[in-house]
Structures are given as C-alpha cells and as structure tokens.
Amino acid sequence: MLGKFKRILIGRPMKSAELEAEKLGRLKALAILSSDALSSVAYGTEQILLVLMVAGFAALWYSVPISIAVLGLLVILIISYRQTIFAYPAGGGAYIVAKDNIGKAPSLIAGGSLLVDYILTVAVSSSAGTDAITSAFPVLHDHRVLIALVMIVFLTIMNLRGVTESASVLAIPIYLFVIAIFVLIITGVIRYFTGGIEAAAPQFDSTVSNVSLFLLLKAFSSGCSALTGVEAVSNAIPNFRKPAEKNAAATLLMMGIILGAMFIGITLLAYWYGIHPSATETVISQIARMTFGHGVLYYVIQGVTALILFLAANTAYSAFPLLAFMLAKDKYMPHMFMVRGDRLGFSNGIIILSLLSALLVIVFKGDTENLIPLYAVGVFIPFTLSQLGMMIRWIRLKPSNWGLKLTINTVGMLTTLSITLIFIFTKFSQVWVIFLFLPLVVYIFYKIYTHYENTAEQLRIDIKVDKPEVKGNTIIIPVAGITRVVMNTISYAKTLSPNVVAVYVGFDDEAIHKMEQKWEEWNPGVRLIVLKSRYRSILGPLRRFIDTVEWKTSATDHITVLIPQFVTHHWWETILHNQTSLLMRAYLINYKDVVVATVPYHLNK
Amino acid sequence: MLGKFKRILIGRPMKSAELEAEKLGRLKALAILSSDALSSVAYGTEQILLVLMVAGFAALWYSVPISIAVLGLLVILIISYRQTIFAYPAGGGAYIVAKDNIGKAPSLIAGGSLLVDYILTVAVSSSAGTDAITSAFPVLHDHRVLIALVMIVFLTIMNLRGVTESASVLAIPIYLFVIAIFVLIITGVIRYFTGGIEAAAPQFDSTVSNVSLFLLLKAFSSGCSALTGVEAVSNAIPNFRKPAEKNAAATLLMMGIILGAMFIGITLLAYWYGIHPSATETVISQIARMTFGHGVLYYVIQGVTALILFLAANTAYSAFPLLAFMLAKDKYMPHMFMVRGDRLGFSNGIIILSLLSALLVIVFKGDTENLIPLYAVGVFIPFTLSQLGMMIRWIRLKPSNWGLKLTINTVGMLTTLSITLIFIFTKFSQVWVIFLFLPLVVYIFYKIYTHYENTAEQLRIDIKVDKPEVKGNTIIIPVAGITRVVMNTISYAKTLSPNVVAVYVGFDDEAIHKMEQKWEEWNPGVRLIVLKSRYRSILGPLRRFIDTVEWKTSATDHITVLIPQFVTHHWWETILHNQTSLLMRAYLINYKDVVVATVPYHLNK
C-alpha cells in the first residue's frame, strides 16, 4: 500500500547506471540553477531605491551608478567563478575550494553558512511567492502559511522524482519570465526615446545634501542582494552533462548576461520614468503599468514575476543535497546524506531541507522578509572564502598565466570581503545572529567528525594480524512455558552448542514448582534453571543471571541469549501479546556483551 | 532519569508478597467504593423533581412515593448482592456470575457494558466535578476541559501509587461529605418541626390531572440513576482484607444504609420546603441555603458536594482494572491487563481507563451530562444478568433455604429488568447507541478469544511425543566492509557451525572488486559471496540470496543470519549511522523462517 503510493508520487526506482541520463544540458541547467539569481531582478532595483528614498526623491539618480557598481561586481564574480569551474570540474563550491586551499575551519565556515543559506532561501522564496499570490487573491491571505507549505511539499515531490523531470516542469516559467522582462525593457526603452512617456526623472549628477557615504553603502549592499544565487552553478557541476565544466561555464556566462541586462534595464527604466518606491506597488509593477497600461501584458509580467519568486526556492533543492553529500563524505555530516534514493537524488538532503525550511515558515508565520539580509551575508562569507582559496591555489600551483588569474581572484576576494563588511556595518541588527549560529554549526560538524573518527579507529583491524578466533559458546534460553516455540528454540540451540540452559522466571512458588515438574516430565535434554522474581519483573532476575554466567564463562565462551518468539499472522495481533522479548533484546544489545538471537515461529492463522 | 521521575510520581516498586498489606479494611473500602453511589445523592432527588415539574408544582408530592420506591429497589439490590458476595467470595461481579451460571454470551454482554460504563463514569464524574468548581469560580469556565483532564491525571497517579495510599487521600472528603449531609438533614428536620421554616409544600395525595404513567415511570427511572455504583463492592471483593466476603458484605450494608438515609432525607426536606428544581441552583444548594443561610456551613456543603462528585470517578478506577483482569484471564481481552505494575495495581487497566475517558471528555468538550442515562442503562443490564445468574445457580445447586434465596433474586431480577425496560422505553433517544456499541464490544471479545485459542493450539505440544530434534546449521553474515565488528561476528559464527558464508552487497563493480581483493588478503577462513545491487538496495539482493539458501538447505539445516552491529557510546550517536540492520532484522523476523542474531560490538568512546 505505502509502497504503491510512493511509486505514484515519486516514480519507479531507477538503476544506478541511469544516473548519466539524469544529468543536465545547458538550457535545462539554466532553468534549474538560475531561478534564484534571476528572481533577484524582481526586487534588486527596488531595494536600492528604498534606501535612497530616505534622502528624498532627488537622491534617486544615485541608483544608476550604484547599479553599475553592482553590475561591475557581477562581472567580477562571473569571471572569478569561471576560473573556479575550470579548476574544480568535479564541483567547486566554496566548501571544496576552501578545504582544498585554506584549511578545515574556513571550509566548514563556508559549508555551514551555505547550508543555512539554502534553508533560508527556501523559506524566504516560498513566503515571497505566497505574498505574490495573496496580493492577487487577497481572500487567501489567512492561509499564507498553508500555501507556503504546499509549495514546499510540491517542490519536495518534484525533486524526489529526480533532477531532469523537475527541470522540465520548472523550465517553462523561467523562460517566460526572461522573455517577459526583456519585452518589457525593450518596449519601455522604445517608448521612452519616442517620447511616449511623460515623466520627471530626477536631475542626474545633482548634489544632494543629506546623502551620506553610509547611505550609499547601504544602498549598494541592498543591491548586492541581487547577486545571491550566482554560486549555484559552480556547486552543481557534477549535475551537468559531459563535458561538465564547459557546459557549466557556458551556463554561468548566459546567466550573468541575462541577469546583468535585466537588472540594468529595470534600473534605467525606473530612473527615466521617475518612479518612487511605494509600499503598495512594486517597482516592476509600476514600470509595467506605465509601459503597457492595465492590459493583458501587465498581468503576464505580474504573474511570471510571482512564479519566479517561488521557483527561486528550487535552486536550493539542487545545491543543498549536493553540499550535504560532500560534507557527509568528509564525515562532517551524518552518513545518511550520502545515500541516493530510488530516483537517484539525495533524498535525505531534499527531505531535511524541506522540513527545516517548513519549520522556519511556520515559526515566522510566513513573514520571512527580515531574513533577507541574513541570507545575503550568508552568501558573501563563502564567496569571500572561495576567492581567497583560489588566490592561495594560484600562488601554490603557479600555472600558466597565474599572475592574471591571481589578480582576478584578488579583486574578487577584496570586493566580496568589502561587501561582507558593508553588510555587517550597515545592517548589524539584522545579521548578528549568524555570529552565534555559524560557530554552533561548525562545532556540530567537528563533533560529528570526531565521532566518526573514533568509531573508525575502534573498528579498524590490521588484516595481516587480526584474524577471527574460535571460542566456546554458552546458550541461555529464557522460557515462559513449554510450547512449540520453546521446543523449536531448543532444537535450534542444540545445533549450536552442548552448553545450553533454559531459564524460567516465576512470580510464585506454585508456578515455579509446576514448571519444574512439567520440564522434568518433558525432558528435552536441556537443564532448566528457575528464578523467583519478587517484583514481578522478568528482566531483573534474568539480567542478574546473565551477569553470573558472564562472570563465570566470558573468558572462554561467547554467551548467546536465544529468545523464542512467535510471529502473529496479522501485524495488529501483536498488541495482544506482551512485548517482553523486544524490551529484553533492546536491553541486552545495548548494555551487555552477549549475542541476542530471535528464533521466530510463524503462526499461520 | 525517566526511571527516577517515575519513582517520585508513583513510588518505589513493591514485592508481590506486599499485596495482602495493600488490601482494604471496611472503612477504607467504604471510602474507595462508595463515592460513586453516595455522590448520587447530590443529583438523585433533583432528577426526579425535574421530570415531575413538567406536570406542574402540585405534582412534586409524587417525589416522596417515588423515592420510597427507589429506596425499596435499593433494599432489594442490597439483599440480592449480599447473597452474591457470599456465593462468590473471590469476586462476584455481573461478569463472573453470568459466566458461571448463564453462559458465555450473556457474561460478555455484562462485562462489556460494565467496562464501557466505567469509562463513562470517569468522564461524567470528572466533568461534573469540574462544573462544580467552575460554578464557584466562573473565571475558569473556558478551561473546563483542561481542569477535567488534570483531575483524570491526578486520579491516574493516585491509583498507580496503589490502592491503600489512594484510599487514605480520598477517604477524608467522603467522610466529610457524609457528615455534612447528615448535619444538613438533621438540622433541616429539626427546623421544619420546630416551625423555623416557612414553606408551602404541595398538597400530599392530591390528584394532578396531567400526571401520566409514562411521566411517573420516567421520574422513577431518573431516580434509579442514584443506584449506580452499588455493584462496586461485589466486583471488588478480592481487594478486601480477610475475611473478604464478611468485610465486603458489611461494607455493602453500611453503604446501603447511608445512601438510603441520605436520599430519603434530602427528598423529604425538598418536599417539606416546597423546593422548585431550578436551572441556576441545585436542590441541595437550596435546602442548605434555607437551613443554614448564606454562612460557612452552606459553603462547606457546596464544597464537599463538588468534591464527592469528582471523587465518584475513583470508583471506576478500582473496578475497571479488576474486570479487565478477569476478562483478560478468560482470553477476551489482551494479556497486558493481567500484569501487575510496580505498585501492584493493574497499571495497564488504569492507564487505558484514563486515556479513553480523557478522550470522551475531549470529544464532548466537557459536556458529558447527556451520557448519564446511557450510563445508567449500562449498569442495569449487568444488574439484571447478575440476578438471573443467581436464580439459575440456586435452582441448579439447591442449597439450604434455596427457596428463599431464589425468591430474593427473582424479585431482584424482575425489578432490575423492569427498570432496564423503563429506561429504554422512556429515554430511547439517549440510550439507543448502546445497542450498536455493545454488540461491537462483544464481537471484539470473541475475536480476541479466537486469536488466543488459535495461538495456543498452534503452540501446544504433547510433552510425551514432541521432543527437540537436532538439525544442521547454515550461517549467513551480511558484511559492509572488513572491520572489528565483522571479525568479531565471524569469530562467533565459527563457534556455531562450519557452514558460514559472508555476503557483501556492492553498488558498483569497483567497490565489489576492491572488497573481494581485500577479503582474499585477510583470509578469515570464511567464504565471501558478492552480490551487485543495481537499485542501491541492500535488502533486496540479500533477500533473494536467503531465498536461494533456504530452497537448498532448509530441509536439513537451520538458517541463521548473524548481523554485525556496533553499539554507540551515547544513544543519540545512532542517528549518525545507517539503520539498515534494524530494517533487515524486522523484515527477516516477520517474513522469513530464519533465526536472526545480532552480534553487538560496544564502542567505548
């Protein structure tokens, strides 16, 4: 039943050999990996304008140079990350690059902040997508949390089904979004130059008295939020079809060009149209309305924008499980993140990501906007570490042209470091929590690592020296009466060892006497030992008996406890029987150095 | 930790031999077993007056003859049940008497309706107690369900601590209640005869035109609700100190006299004072107010009345676990109801009773008053069956004076049968559900019985003929690598049988090849078989392998699967390891005829 339901939801299990066919071509990769980055267009310009507006309408012209600065940063990041992709064709996320070149601790800081970040991405994006939906249909406003959770469940199922299939479903809205925004920008530019728009843009290059450096930096850092998501491609190289690094680099470049063009286009239109940021209407919506009027095209723009915000969450679904896999391989996260599910995705990573982000949505009741700066700073920390790692790599390896390569990554590192510092400087009240959280995550990574190392050390043997030894065997059978199950178990025990003893725990003298008599009469060839339990506990006396046997024989013998157990025909019938054997087994396995065997006897009705 | 908490809550475990000391003397028994019956005084008279009021104030005089009829019924019940106590000194509840004399089906009807009834008692009484509290403190009204649940939890803990201790705690309010009501009645009678009360009692013996037989019967049956709880003593004889039957009979008589005196006293005062039943003030409250004024004594009466209503639930806590024990002994209920807990009470019965009644309180949101008629009819069905059983017993055994004894029980049977019919006739809309529920309960009893019978039949052996046989033994060890745990397991396996084979499930050719090579180098003296899993499942290939081995050797050999397992130092560390072995064990035990043994290796850090 459950299995069938899973088949319908997730699809048939796939062979390991089918993995290659699941991999991504350039266009599908663009669809899967770029939604996070591209969706920034929907709010990037607006974030800058909102900060500048504090200094008045005249200050809005600063948005153009600031956007150009962000664009410059984008170019730096793209060039830097291209280098990373070719240097690390097996996947060059910040974690790998930092581990390879700087050291353990920085790599764990990078990995930890990215993991946290992906969880924030899903929470923030699904909430933002929900906001877009409830803006269109206000009647749904009371069900925001439910809608966000449904979105997360939908994404979970798509991703459990497998990478390619989810790409096919998700590609269409992303292409629609790109096309729609370009149509908007081109139409807008044409209408502006043909004089179809009457607007009062603020004077360019005017000096505004109350614009401080702090304000400009804050506006710039807000604009940098638009760059989150750029790292997705370099993390996901192993998901690309061969030649993976070339396809990845091409995808990254395509994404950069599209993102840059859309971002600067929207910023220019906003400036030319003289748009005020407003609490009730987004900048994109104002531009679209002024360009197209309240027609079909306007609603198309709004619809695909809402959709892309929601789909941005999907990027995290490709990145989180892969990063968790890499951390698990290095023993910093539980092994379970290394297991591929029926459909070849890392199911455990997908499920954990969904659960944690759903938890955030529930705790914040769908109002996750305040988490955005946190999540931007969580991206720029690994950006910086990754660039620093590349710098060290070039100095260490000195390949051809290493001077140029070093220069590129040094510029990249200094830029991202500055932005991280600007974030901390201008938005400390919103990002301080990361300085508590990140050390905790790194501490847990180390704890897990230590556990695995200790375990491995204790389990390791020298195959030249350590060989199995043969010892004797003493067998203990707890019996509750003389039944077919007990007979079965004794038959079995006799095949194993001549040292077999049955143990009966009785609560009163009468029961004990009766059992002894019946056992003598039966005479199964095994000695019966009776124990009296004054507290009606079976486990207590049995435990003390095993202690005694252990003390006497453990030097020469293995001790085996054989538990006779009948298995009922229907599972629900087990509630009709005492579960002493389960308790007994759990106790013995966990606290005693004895082998516990269950000898089943299957009832057939 | 958990154990310590349990010790504080429930107390130290007790020896079986301490059982006798836990038993009840007459006075404590009265406290424990009479609260249900005595609490009826708080509403019995009122129930009669409420029905009569439909025909107008003049009709209220009928309450006196009706109460005398109820009193007559009480005398009949007491005399009948005295006979039962002496005939069944080991406990003579309706279930036992019906089983012994009539047959299986009637006894199960009696047992089933009593079990359901005890659950209703707890739900109704804890809700009624809560009502009394919230009447005094209206601010608590929104927390009714919570308060009722807290009461149930309190009763559960008291009863898990043990019979005597809970009696000590609960005895005081019951004695207070009895004393308070008698003080009220005596003062009230004195004041009435000394002319201290000005009241207009309705004319006695006047003919009221619109009083129908139906109305009188309905009023009578309402009054009979006051008799629920009388059977508690005869069910609980095994809880009495020796001589149990004499003590029980004396307790029953005491209870009958107190109940009868209080009931008729309250009814007479209500009539003499000309009291109208009212929605806002109970009859007891009106009498107390007219007798004492709004002074301290009035509040004492109200307080102890509230308390006794709540304590009535405690009667069910003595009766339900004992009846469940008897049904379980006869294989109609799960064995778990036969186990005595640490403090010698039947803990499982206590806990199940609490859970089910808490569920009723939650489902009905604390408004359980409508369940009262249901619960009255649930008592009179077993009353009738019990009397019928006694009649058959006298006819069958013909002891001295059997004619008199038969007459007593015949009168009892006819009376209780009539009342049952009157209940069904006058309150069908409230009691019909029992005709759905009772057959279902009896059906479940039969299903459980059939399961235990089938199980016993399959497990039974003829100790003269069936003896253990010796067969060979083939051992399969699933291995994931070469570690100390595996070495340990192989050492152990070699002590058991020469036929040992290790099985490795690999996901790709490289891993398989590497494992084979390393195994050869190690050469532990055991053959390694490698299986390739294309779907990354370990269980699947292993299952097919075991099937093959079973097919080849099961005629001559037992098959044992030895699972190597390391046990982590801290329990929470287990989440860092894949739980394949647990899944494997559950699958094999439930579906395969193989012995599954876990060979533990304890990590020490």
Side-chain angles (χ1 to χ4, degrees):
Chain A
M1 248 307 286
L2 211 69
K4 240 183 200 168
F5 182 68
K6 186 178 161 197
R7 286 289 80 78
I8 292 168
L9 219 57
I10 314 291
R12 66 163 182 88
M14 297 173 79
K15 293 175 190 166
S16 305
E18 293 179 81
L19 194 56
E20 192 54 33
E22 275 286 290
K23 300 210 157 176
L24 299 165
R26 291 180 189 188
L27 277 180
K28 277 196 175 165
L30 188 66
I32 272 213
L33 300 169
S34 70
S35 49
D36 184 15
L38 298 186
S39 68
S40 323
V41 171
Y43 54 81
T45 306
E46 185 157 355
Q47 296 279 317
I48 298 173
L49 295 180
L50 275 169
V51 176
L52 292 175
M53 199 58 194
V54 173
F57 180 64
L60 291 190
W61 73 266
Y62 283 107
S63 66
V64 179
I66 285 174
S67 293
I68 292 171
V70 172
L71 209 61
L73 177 60
L74 176 64
V75 172
I76 292 170
L77 277 179
I78 299 277
I79 297 175
S80 305
Y81 266 104
R82 245 186 91 86
Q83 298 201 142
T84 310
I85 287 171
F86 284 103
Y88 288 92
Y95 169 67
I96 295 284
V97 176
K99 184 180 83 168
D100 211 28
N101 300 298
I102 321 184
K104 254 190 194 181
S107 72
L108 293 180
I109 293 173
S113 65
L114 280 174
L115 279 187
V116 173
D117 224 66
Y118 295 137
I119 298 166
L120 290 171
T121 305
V122 175
V124 170
S125 304
S126 60
S127 301
T130 305
D131 281 344
I133 292 177
T134 57
S135 302
F137 306 99
V139 71
L140 294 174
H141 198 269
D142 286 347
H143 307 285
R144 300 180 66 234
V145 172
L146 187 66
I147 294 171
L149 294 179
V150 168
M151 305 244 163
I152 291 175
V153 169
F154 175 76
L155 283 175
T156 310
I157 293 170
M158 287 319 303
N159 281 284
L160 287 177
R161 285 194 75 92
V163 174
T164 315
E165 280 191 46
S166 70
S168 312
V169 170
L170 305 176
I172 299 157
I174 291 165
Y175 296 148
L176 280 181
F177 174 74
V178 172
I179 294 167
I181 294 292
F182 276 119
V183 168
L184 172 66
I185 291 170
I186 293 165
T187 318
V189 170
I190 293 171
R191 296 202 66 181
Y192 175 72
F193 282 108
T194 56
I197 298 286
E198 290 169 32
Q203 171 78 41
F204 199 85
D205 214 4
S206 64
T207 313
V208 182
S209 61
N210 52 353
V211 168
S212 63
L213 180 66
F214 183 84
L215 191 78
L216 290 178
L217 288 177
K218 197 171 174 185
F220 175 64
S221 72
S222 295
C224 289
S225 312
L227 302 182
T228 59
V230 168
E231 80 293 354
V233 173
S234 63
N235 286 327
I237 311 176
N239 278 348
F240 276 86
R241 209 169 281 160
K242 285 173 187 164
E245 62 269 40
K246 281 201 174 163
N247 285 327
T251 305
L252 179 64
L253 195 63
M254 272 196 288
M255 187 173 88
I257 292 170
I258 295 171
L259 174 60
M262 296 202 301
F263 182 60
I264 203 72
I266 294 292
T267 305
L268 279 175
L269 283 183
Y271 169 68
W272 287 336
Y273 286 16
I275 278 167
H276 294 57
S278 137
T280 51
E281 191 175 12
T282 62
V283 169
I284 296 272
S285 166
Q286 291 184 53
I287 295 175
R289 196 166 38 75
M290 287 174 76
T291 308
F292 300 127
H294 257 297
V296 175
L297 276 172
Y298 167 77
Y299 284 104
V300 169
I301 295 280
Q302 287 303 94
V304 291
T305 307
L307 213 52
I308 192 102
L309 274 169
F310 158 54
L311 286 185
N314 197 54
T315 312
Y317 277 97
S318 339
F320 182 97
L322 208 62
L323 181 55
F325 165 79
M326 290 189 279
L327 281 162
K329 224 170 80 178
D330 291 342
K331 303 184 181 171
Y332 294 111
M333 280 182 69
H335 283 340
M336 62 170 176
F337 291 106
M338 286 168 67
V339 183
R340 280 186 192 273
D342 282 351
R343 300 284 288 182
L344 298 167
F346 296 112
S347 326
N348 290 325
I350 293 170
I351 290 164
I352 292 286
L353 173 63
S354 300
L355 289 179
L356 292 177
S357 54
L359 192 70
L360 275 181
V361 167
I362 292 168
V363 168
F364 284 84
K365 293 189 179 127
D367 297 321
T368 48
E369 289 75 11
N370 279 327
L371 297 175
I372 291 179
L374 193 63
Y375 127 80
V377 88
V379 174
F380 277 93
I381 289 172
F383 273 6
T384 310
L385 289 168
S386 162
Q387 303 292 336
L388 182 65
M390 292 305 287
M391 285 166 58
I392 295 173
R393 180 185 176 85
W394 303 136
I395 296 172
R396 194 160 47 85
L397 297 181
K398 297 194 178 57
S400 57
N401 276 330
W402 71 275
L404 175 67
K405 286 173 173 164
L406 178 60
T407 312
I408 291 173
N409 283 120
T410 308
V411 172
M413 192 279 282
L414 291 173
T415 324
T416 50
L417 177 63
S418 315
I419 293 167
T420 311
L421 294 174
I422 292 171
F423 261 113
I424 296 170
F425 175 57
T426 58
K427 298 185 171 174
F428 187 77
S429 66
Q430 286 173 299
V431 303
W432 61 270
V433 75
I434 201 140
F435 297 103
L436 286 184
F437 210 66
L438 216 46
L440 181 69
V441 171
V442 172
Y443 173 77
I444 293 173
F445 285 158
Y446 271 111
K447 276 302 255 188
I448 292 175
Y449 182 80
T450 311
H451 170 77
Y452 279 134
E453 280 295 291
N454 282 340
T455 305
E457 191 198 320
Q458 290 176 76
L459 296 185
R460 196 177 297 126
I461 59 174
D462 180 347
I463 60 175
K464 297 221 165 52
V465 180
D466 295 319
K467 308 282 177 186
E469 297 165 44
V470 176
K471 282 165 90 179
N473 204 352
T474 298
I475 295 177
I476 300 168
I477 308 176
V479 298
I482 296 174
T483 63
R484 195 161 291 277
V485 197
V486 169
M487 186 175 85
N488 205 34
T489 309
I490 292 177
S491 300
Y492 174 73
K494 286 176 133 185
T495 67
L496 302 183
S497 165
N499 302 326
V500 180
V501 60
V503 181
Y504 174 75
V505 180
F507 296 161
D508 57 64
D509 295 328
E510 196 193 322
I512 289 174
H513 181 68
K514 221 169 120 186
M515 181 69 185
E516 281 180 319
Q517 228 170 13
K518 208 173 161 196
W519 192 270
E520 204 173 314
E521 200 181 332
W522 185 31
N523 188 22
V526 161
R527 195 156 63 97
L528 178 74
I529 288 175
V530 292
L531 306 170
K532 189 173 169 186
S533 172
R534 289 188 304 175
Y535 291 98
R536 301 163 310 289
S537 148
I538 291 175
L539 216 49
L542 197 65
R543 200 185 60 208
R544 285 187 290 275
F545 178 72
I546 291 171
D547 283 345
T548 315
V549 175
E550 230 176 357
W551 179 75
K552 274 193 194 157
T553 68
S554 69
T556 57
D557 275 19
H558 292 280
I559 298 168
T560 305
V561 178
L562 283 189
I563 303 180
Q565 184 173 318
F566 57 88
V567 180
T568 54
H569 194 52
H570 304 101
W571 65 266
W572 47 264
E573 288 168 343
T574 45
I575 63 156
L576 298 178
H577 302 280
N578 295 331
Q579 299 305 312
T580 321
S581 70
L582 267 184
L583 272 181
M584 204 187 293
R585 188 183 167 277
Y587 171 79
L588 293 174
I589 289 279
N590 285 311
Y591 297 103
K592 294 268 140 204
D593 210 12
V594 298
V595 177
V596 183
T598 309
V599 185
Y601 183 82
H602 293 265
L603 299 179
N604 50 33
K605 64 176 179 181
Chain B
M1 246 308 285
L2 211 71
K4 240 182 199 167
F5 182 68
K6 187 179 161 198
R7 286 287 81 79
I8 293 168
L9 220 56
I10 314 292
R12 64 165 183 88
M14 297 172 79
K15 293 177 189 165
S16 305
E18 296 179 76
L19 193 56
E20 191 57 32
E22 275 287 288
K23 299 210 160 177
L24 299 165
R26 289 179 190 190
L27 276 180
K28 278 196 177 169
L30 188 66
I32 274 214
L33 299 170
S34 69
S35 51
D36 185 15
L38 298 187
S39 70
S40 322
V41 171
Y43 53 80
T45 305
E46 184 157 356
Q47 295 279 318
I48 298 174
L49 295 180
L50 275 170
V51 176
L52 292 175
M53 199 59 194
V54 173
F57 180 66
L60 291 190
W61 74 266
Y62 283 108
S63 66
V64 178
I66 286 175
S67 292
I68 291 169
V70 172
L71 209 63
L73 177 59
L74 176 65
V75 172
I76 291 169
L77 277 178
I78 299 274
I79 296 173
S80 305
Y81 266 104
R82 246 186 90 87
Q83 297 202 142
T84 310
I85 286 172
F86 284 103
Y88 288 92
Y95 169 67
I96 295 284
V97 176
K99 185 180 83 168
D100 210 29
N101 299 299
I102 322 184
K104 253 190 194 181
S107 72
L108 292 180
I109 293 173
S113 65
L114 279 175
L115 280 187
V116 173
D117 223 65
Y118 294 137
I119 298 165
L120 290 172
T121 304
V122 175
V124 170
S125 303
S126 60
S127 303
T130 304
D131 282 345
I133 292 176
T134 57
S135 302
F137 306 99
V139 72
L140 294 173
H141 197 269
D142 285 348
H143 307 286
R144 299 181 66 236
V145 172
L146 186 67
I147 294 170
L149 293 180
V150 167
M151 305 242 164
I152 291 175
V153 169
F154 174 76
L155 283 175
T156 309
I157 292 171
M158 287 318 304
N159 281 283
L160 286 177
R161 286 193 74 94
V163 173
T164 314
E165 282 193 43
S166 71
S168 312
V169 170
L170 304 175
I172 299 157
I174 292 166
Y175 295 147
L176 281 180
F177 175 75
V178 172
I179 293 167
I181 295 292
F182 275 118
V183 168
L184 172 66
I185 291 170
I186 292 164
T187 317
V189 170
I190 292 171
R191 296 204 65 181
Y192 175 72
F193 281 108
T194 57
I197 299 285
E198 291 170 31
Q203 170 76 42
F204 200 86
D205 214 3
S206 65
T207 312
V208 182
S209 62
N210 51 353
V211 168
S212 63
L213 181 64
F214 182 84
L215 190 79
L216 289 178
L217 286 177
K218 199 172 172 184
F220 175 63
S221 72
S222 294
C224 289
S225 311
L227 302 182
T228 59
V230 168
E231 80 291 356
V233 173
S234 63
N235 285 327
I237 311 176
N239 278 348
F240 276 86
R241 209 170 281 160
K242 282 172 189 165
E245 61 268 42
K246 280 203 176 161
N247 284 327
T251 305
L252 179 65
L253 195 64
M254 273 196 286
M255 185 174 92
I257 291 169
I258 295 170
L259 174 59
M262 296 203 302
F263 182 62
I264 202 74
I266 294 293
T267 305
L268 278 176
L269 283 182
Y271 168 68
W272 286 336
Y273 286 16
I275 278 167
H276 293 57
S278 138
T280 51
E281 190 176 13
T282 63
V283 169
I284 295 272
S285 166
Q286 291 184 55
I287 294 175
R289 196 166 40 74
M290 288 173 78
T291 309
F292 299 126
H294 256 298
V296 175
L297 276 172
Y298 168 76
Y299 283 106
V300 168
I301 294 280
Q302 286 303 94
V304 291
T305 308
L307 213 53
I308 193 104
L309 274 169
F310 158 54
L311 287 184
N314 197 54
T315 312
Y317 276 96
S318 340
F320 182 96
L322 209 63
L323 181 56
F325 165 79
M326 291 190 277
L327 281 161
K329 223 170 82 180
D330 292 342
K331 302 184 183 173
Y332 293 112
M333 279 181 70
H335 282 341
M336 61 169 176
F337 291 106
M338 285 167 68
V339 183
R340 281 189 191 270
D342 282 350
R343 300 284 288 183
L344 298 167
F346 294 111
S347 325
N348 290 324
I350 293 170
I351 291 165
I352 292 285
L353 172 63
S354 298
L355 289 179
L356 292 177
S357 55
L359 191 72
L360 275 182
V361 168
I362 292 169
V363 168
F364 283 85
K365 296 191 178 120
D367 297 320
T368 46
E369 289 76 11
N370 278 326
L371 297 174
I372 290 177
L374 193 63
Y375 126 78
V377 87
V379 173
F380 277 92
I381 291 173
F383 273 6
T384 310
L385 288 168
S386 162
Q387 304 293 337
L388 182 65
M390 292 306 288
M391 285 164 60
I392 295 173
R393 179 184 176 86
W394 302 138
I395 294 172
R396 195 161 45 86
L397 296 181
K398 297 195 178 58
S400 59
N401 276 331
W402 70 275
L404 175 67
K405 286 171 173 166
L406 177 61
T407 312
I408 290 172
N409 285 119
T410 308
V411 172
M413 193 280 282
L414 290 175
T415 324
T416 50
L417 177 64
S418 315
I419 293 166
T420 311
L421 294 175
I422 290 170
F423 262 113
I424 296 169
F425 175 56
T426 59
K427 299 186 171 176
F428 187 76
S429 66
Q430 288 173 296
V431 304
W432 61 270
V433 75
I434 203 140
F435 297 103
L436 287 184
F437 210 66
L438 215 47
L440 180 69
V441 171
V442 172
Y443 173 77
I444 293 173
F445 284 159
Y446 270 111
K447 276 302 256 188
I448 292 175
Y449 182 81
T450 311
H451 170 76
Y452 280 131
E453 281 295 293
N454 282 339
T455 304
E457 190 196 321
Q458 290 176 76
L459 296 185
R460 195 176 299 127
I461 58 174
D462 181 346
I463 59 174
K464 297 220 166 48
V465 180
D466 296 318
K467 307 282 176 188
E469 296 166 45
V470 175
K471 283 167 88 179
N473 203 351
T474 297
I475 295 177
I476 299 169
I477 308 176
V479 298
I482 297 173
T483 62
R484 196 160 291 278
V485 196
V486 169
M487 186 175 84
N488 205 37
T489 310
I490 292 176
S491 299
Y492 175 72
K494 285 176 135 185
T495 67
L496 302 183
S497 164
N499 302 326
V500 181
V501 60
V503 181
Y504 174 75
V505 181
F507 295 162
D508 57 62
D509 294 329
E510 197 193 319
I512 288 174
H513 181 68
K514 221 170 117 186
M515 181 68 185
E516 282 180 318
Q517 230 171 12
K518 208 175 163 195
W519 192 270
E520 205 173 314
E521 202 180 329
W522 185 33
N523 188 20
V526 161
R527 196 156 63 97
L528 177 74
I529 288 175
V530 293
L531 307 170
K532 190 175 168 185
S533 171
R534 289 188 305 173
Y535 290 98
R536 300 164 310 288
S537 149
I538 291 174
L539 215 50
L542 197 67
R543 199 186 61 210
R544 285 187 291 276
F545 177 72
I546 291 170
D547 283 344
T548 315
V549 175
E550 229 176 0
W551 178 75
K552 273 192 194 159
T553 68
S554 68
T556 58
D557 276 19
H558 292 282
I559 298 169
T560 305
V561 177
L562 282 189
I563 302 180
Q565 185 173 317
F566 57 88
V567 180
T568 54
H569 193 53
H570 303 103
W571 65 265
W572 47 264
E573 288 168 341
T574 44
I575 63 155
L576 298 177
H577 301 280
N578 295 330
Q579 300 304 314
T580 321
S581 69
L582 267 185
L583 273 180
M584 203 188 291
R585 189 183 166 275
Y587 171 80
L588 293 173
I589 289 278
N590 285 311
Y591 297 104
K592 295 269 138 201
D593 209 10
V594 298
V595 177
V596 183
T598 308
V599 184
Y601 183 81
H602 294 265
L603 299 178
N604 50 34
K605 61 177 182 181

